């Protein structure tokens, strides 16, 4: 196998110092353009490749970001990851991804394994189990050790770090107001992820908008659970035994099952029942009828999270002054809702 050319060999063959060759290959303005071009062309012909590990050690950086997501099958997290990767790669950073599968222990294991100098920082959305137990010590420990963290979507007020969130409360207000404006008087609230911070914000938007419109909250129309089995049982009872004319679903499972059961029962959508769901995946457009959803602009969230983290890594952000960026959502009107006459 052909041996790689080294800085020292290039310097000897061209009659320059190792320092001059190194500066030329890193585009230092100290070296003239003509000399830089000459050295670069010779290095290319010689098969020289920089030792990225040595460069990273010198900079005390790995140029690698750790991304921890709860569920890669969720279209939202996949879209966020695409935004992270695109921005990070453009800035010369690699990305290592771990899936926590909503497990606190897997989340902790990933952080422990990558905190040994493998990555420069983390972008993450908190696992459901960590939020239910309110266990945030592993995040705080990483930050104390000088490893920056950017949280997105599922965040915690108990952890001081940069965050990227969507306007969950305001988007819920907008969705419920649209249902009310188009004639809904009995709107069901559905989720099997009740303990998540985002679900709580969306639920608060639901409650406050009903109150603002002088509509009484009816307990029999609210299903807030943390298990799919319990949710499925309660939703089946709701569809078959309770009268309502609107549904606001806070997660993908709630949206798709509600649509399936309503259509199976022969309920006419949107004439008899209007529905709005969260997370604008491809499935929402393929359902029959198509489901109106709140789009969270995942790629934009990912790009902003990557920007915040890289700025923190490269010390472009003010130390200990953390930023929370709010990304505006958008209600995508489809066949499951009526058009407003206003």
């Amino acid at each position: 196998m052909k041996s790689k050319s080294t800085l020292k060999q290039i310097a000897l063959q061209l009659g320059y110092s190792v320092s001059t060759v190194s500066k030329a290959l890193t585009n230092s303005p100290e070296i003239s353009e003509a000399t830089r071009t000459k050295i670069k062309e010779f290095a290319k012909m010689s098969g020289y490749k920089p030792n990225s590990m040595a460069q990273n050690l010198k900079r005390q950086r790995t140029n690698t970001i750790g991304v921890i997501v709860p569920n890669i099958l969720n279209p939202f997290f996949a879209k966020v990851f695409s935004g992270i990767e695109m921005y990070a790669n453009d800035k010369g950073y690699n990305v290592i991804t771990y899936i926590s599968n909503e497990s606190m222990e897997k989340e902790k294991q990933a952080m422990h394994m990558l905190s040994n100098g493998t990555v420069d920082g983390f972008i993450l959305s908190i696992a459901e189990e960590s939020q239910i137990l309110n266990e945030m010590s592993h995040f705080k420990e990483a930050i104390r050790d000088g490893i920056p963290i950017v949280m997105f979507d599922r965040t915690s007020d108990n952890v001081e770090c940069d965050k990227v969130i969507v306007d969950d409360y305001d988007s819920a207000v907008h969705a419920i107001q649209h249902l009310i404006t188009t004639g809904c008087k009995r709107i069901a609230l559905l989720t099997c992820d009740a303990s998540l911070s985002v679900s709580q914000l969306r639920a608060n938007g639901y409650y406050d908008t009903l109150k603002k419109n002088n509509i009484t909250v009816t307990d029999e129309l609210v299903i807030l659970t943390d298990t799919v089995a319990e949710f499925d049982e309660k939703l089946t009872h709701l569809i078959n035994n309770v009268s309502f004319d609107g549904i606001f679903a806070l997660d993908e499972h709630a949206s798709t099952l509600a649509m399936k059961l309503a259509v199976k029962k022969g309920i006419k959508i949107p004439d008899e029942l209007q529905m709005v769901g969260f997370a604008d995946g491809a499935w929402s457009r393929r359902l029959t009828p198509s489901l109106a959803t709140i789009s969270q602009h995942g790629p934009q969230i990912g790009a902003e999270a990557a920007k915040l983290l890289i700025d923190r890594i490269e010390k472009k952000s003010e130390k200990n002054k953390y930023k929370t960026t709010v990304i505006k959502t958008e209600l995508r009107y489809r066949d499951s809702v009526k058009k407003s006459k206003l």
Side-chain angles (χ1 to χ4, degrees):
M1 189 171 75
K2 185 179 178 181
S3 61
K4 294 180 183 178
S5 181
T6 65
L7 286 177
K8 189 174 182 180
Q9 288 170 344
I10 294 171
L12 284 170
Q13 288 175 284
L14 291 179
Y16 293 115
S17 68
V18 172
S19 174
T20 297
V21 172
S22 177
K23 288 177 180 178
L25 293 174
T26 54
N27 294 313
S28 171
E30 296 177 39
I31 310 301
S32 71
E33 186 176 348
T35 302
R36 290 202 305 266
T37 302
K38 179 181 177 182
I39 291 174
K40 282 182 179 179
E41 288 179 353
F42 185 85
K44 186 176 181 181
M45 289 173 55
S46 303
Y48 170 76
K49 291 193 186 223
N51 186 332
S52 58
M53 185 175 291
Q55 291 179 341
N56 289 337
L57 286 171
K58 189 175 180 180
R59 289 196 304 261
Q60 293 187 319
R61 289 212 308 266
T62 67
N63 274 40
T64 303
I65 291 170
V67 178
I68 305 175
V69 294
N71 179 1
I72 199 63
L73 297 178
N74 186 318
F76 168 69
F77 291 121
K79 288 180 179 180
V80 172
F81 178 74
S82 71
I84 292 171
E85 188 173 47
M86 186 174 294
Y87 186 92
N89 289 168
D90 187 58
K91 296 295 181 181
Y93 282 75
N94 298 311
V95 178
I96 295 177
T97 311
Y98 273 82
I99 317 301
S100 69
N101 282 325
E102 306 292 6
S103 164
M104 179 181 69
E105 283 308 312
K106 285 189 176 180
E107 189 174 68
K108 285 184 174 182
Q109 287 170 9
M111 293 196 70
H112 178 73
M113 185 164 49
L114 297 177
S115 293
N116 61 356
T118 303
V119 300
D120 297 324
F122 290 101
I123 297 174
L124 59 88
S125 187
I126 303 174
E128 182 176 8
E129 187 179 13
S130 297
Q131 287 210 312
I132 290 173
L133 299 175
N134 194 27
E135 175 53 62
M136 304 291 149
S137 61
H138 45 306
F139 306 129
K140 294 178 181 179
E141 182 180 349
I143 293 169
R144 279 197 302 269
D145 290 342
I147 304 171
I149 289 176
V150 175
M151 291 182 171
F152 72 91
D153 189 48
R154 304 181 195 173
T155 64
S156 172
D157 291 337
N158 294 326
V159 181
E160 292 187 356
C161 65
D162 295 309
K163 295 164 187 172
V164 183
I165 59 174
V166 298
D167 55 339
D168 286 291
Y169 176 87
D170 290 340
S171 58
V173 168
H174 181 58
I176 299 301
Q177 191 59 57
H178 177 80
L179 293 176
I180 293 171
T181 301
T182 52
C184 293
K185 292 181 173 58
R186 287 175 57 80
I187 303 169
L189 175 68
L190 312 176
T191 186
C192 54
D193 289 324
S195 294
L196 297 180
S197 56
V198 290
S199 296
Q200 292 163 11
L201 288 167
R202 296 165 190 172
N204 289 340
Y206 165 87
Y207 291 128
D208 290 349
T209 309
L210 291 186
K211 184 177 180 181
K212 182 180 178 182
N213 286 272
N214 298 313
I215 298 176
T216 303
V217 175
T218 307
D219 289 341
E220 66 176 351
L221 296 180
V222 176
I223 302 178
L224 300 176
T225 75
D226 280 312
T227 65
V228 171
E230 182 185 359
F231 175 83
D232 291 359
E233 181 182 347
K234 289 185 175 182
L235 180 60
T236 301
H237 173 80
L238 179 74
I239 294 286
N240 292 325
N241 298 285
V242 181
S243 173
F244 56 96
D245 53 17
I247 285 178
F248 182 47
L250 308 188
D251 58 82
E252 182 179 2
H253 179 78
S255 300
T256 52
L257 185 61
M259 176 74 81
K260 178 182 176 182
L261 294 179
V263 170
K264 185 178 180 181
K265 191 181 178 185
I267 298 173
K268 295 178 181 177
I269 301 172
D271 296 335
E272 298 173 339
L273 174 65
Q274 296 190 68
M275 295 179 59
V276 177
F278 249 90
D280 189 42
W283 54 267
S284 59
R285 298 186 294 276
R286 294 170 183 164
L287 289 171
T288 304
S290 58
L291 179 66
T293 55
I294 295 170
S295 174
Q296 298 162 282
H297 302 298
Q300 185 181 349
I301 292 172
E304 178 61 23
K307 181 182 184 305
L308 285 173
L309 183 62
I310 290 172
D311 284 352
R312 182 72 58 186
I313 291 168
E314 297 180 353
K315 306 194 185 312
K316 294 177 183 176
S317 301
E318 189 176 336
K319 189 177 180 181
N320 298 329
K321 188 173 182 180
Y322 298 109
K323 181 180 179 182
T324 296
T325 301
V326 180
I327 306 295
K328 284 290 181 183
T329 56
E330 176 186 357
L331 179 56
R332 299 277 173 85
Y333 300 94
R334 295 195 179 98
D335 295 339
S336 66
V337 294
K338 298 175 183 178
K339 292 181 179 179
S340 175
K341 296 178 181 179
L342 297 179

